[in-house]
Amino acid sequence: KAGVTQTPRYLIKTRGQQVTLSCSPISGHRSVSWYQQTPGQGLQFLFEYFSETQRNKGNFPGRFSGRQFSNSRSEMNVSTLELGDSALYLCASSSVGDTQYFGPGTRLTVL
Amino acid sequence: QKEVEQDPGPLSVPEGAIVSLNCTYSNSAFQYFMWYRQYSRKGPELLMYTYSSGNKEDGRFTAQVDKSSKYISLFIRDSQPSDSATYLCAMMNAGGTSYGKLTFGQGTILTVHP
């Protein structure tokens, strides 16, 4: 079974721009969670989607948003990028009653 | 105070050593406990997944959970240079308002030298 895939793998943007990251979960997984990983803060939870509904949200500003499609694929969007948004963005998928399996991440650099 | 505390190391051991990695936590609602391994510039890879207290063994890896002490451990036997990575503990409540949210420790950097 194919794992979680994320595109693009690397991204360079400038301050003020916006960015959209994509995640395709493991086949059959309906829950998708997003995390931000930085050297200083570690892995922090952004939000979780299940069957196109956001069920949980972390403590991030409204510039961070996401959505999930009927095929369980998910996107996250960051608007008005700041230097501090430079990070590895990780997507994880899970089925009911199971733990999360992570993708390789998208490394975002904001200049 | 962080909900999950993990010694960041770095930890350096010789090949063949037994490695002990630990996390403590403060949230008594955590019921699911995981260990992930993350190689440089890669996503976290699931190593162990346990529910509530007890031990679980998988090959060279043993996970222990002591809910009464709010303490979890991962033991690696016969460590190999390929085990060199960052090890992350993670925890989760059971549903409710915590859907899909794993809370992670800071990660321990492990180096196994030949």
Side-chain angles (χ1 to χ4, degrees):
Chain A
K1 192 182 271 192
V4 178
T5 58
Q6 293 187 246
T7 56
R9 292 294 310 280
Y10 302 92
L11 210 47
I12 299 176
K13 293 286 187 179
T14 56
R15 279 179 298 175
Q17 287 187 308
Q18 76 166 16
V19 66
T20 299
L21 312 181
S22 182
C23 170
S24 292
I26 293 171
S27 177
H29 286 190
R30 295 165 64 189
S31 171
V32 173
S33 296
W34 288 89
Y35 296 85
Q36 180 195 66
Q37 186 175 30
T38 59
Q41 298 298 318
L43 271 145
Q44 293 186 288
F45 174 76
L46 281 157
F47 30 65
E48 187 257 6
Y49 286 87
F50 181 86
S51 293
E52 303 178 67
T53 300
Q54 184 183 89
R55 295 194 299 181
N56 201 1
K57 189 177 189 310
N59 189 26
F60 277 82
R63 300 185 297 108
F64 292 83
S65 63
R67 60 178 175 169
Q68 187 181 34
F69 301 95
S70 58
N71 62 357
S72 294
R73 190 178 69 84
S74 178
E75 290 181 346
M76 68 162 282
N77 183 276
V78 188
S79 62
T80 320
L81 284 166
E82 300 177 0
L83 295 179
D85 296 333
S86 294
L88 181 67
Y89 289 88
L90 291 158
C91 161
S93 75
S94 66
S95 58
V96 175
D98 197 7
T99 189
Q100 296 178 18
Y101 299 87
F102 283 82
T106 295
R107 185 162 297 278
L108 172 65
T109 301
V110 182
L111 302 175
Chain B
Q1 184 188 1
K2 292 181 182 291
E3 277 190 290
V4 180
E5 298 280 358
Q6 183 177 4
D7 186 340
L11 186 60
S12 181
V13 302
E15 183 175 354
I18 296 174
V19 176
S20 173
L21 304 168
N22 311 294
C23 288
T24 59
Y25 63 95
S26 57
N27 186 347
S28 57
F30 288 142
Q31 294 190 36
Y32 298 92
F33 304 91
M34 289 133 277
W35 287 94
Y36 288 88
R37 176 174 63 193
Q38 186 174 25
Y39 292 113
S40 180
R41 311 192 80 79
K42 303 283 189 183
E45 170 195 4
L46 179 69
L47 285 176
M48 302 290 279
Y49 173 43
T50 56
Y51 171 71
S52 196
S53 286
N55 293 0
K56 184 174 183 178
E57 187 174 319
D58 185 1
R60 296 185 296 113
F61 299 91
T62 299
Q64 291 184 348
V65 175
D66 183 349
K67 290 191 71 180
S68 62
S69 301
K70 296 190 180 68
Y71 186 88
I72 71 170
S73 301
L74 178 71
F75 297 94
I76 306 174
R77 290 182 298 280
D78 187 26
S79 56
Q80 302 295 310
S82 59
D83 294 328
S84 298
T86 297
Y87 288 79
L88 297 152
C89 64
M91 307 178 188
M92 187 170 72
N93 293 7
T97 58
S98 298
Y99 288 118
K101 178 184 177 182
L102 296 181
T103 302
F104 284 86
Q106 279 293 100
T108 299
I109 300 170
L110 171 67
T111 301
V112 181
H113 50 86

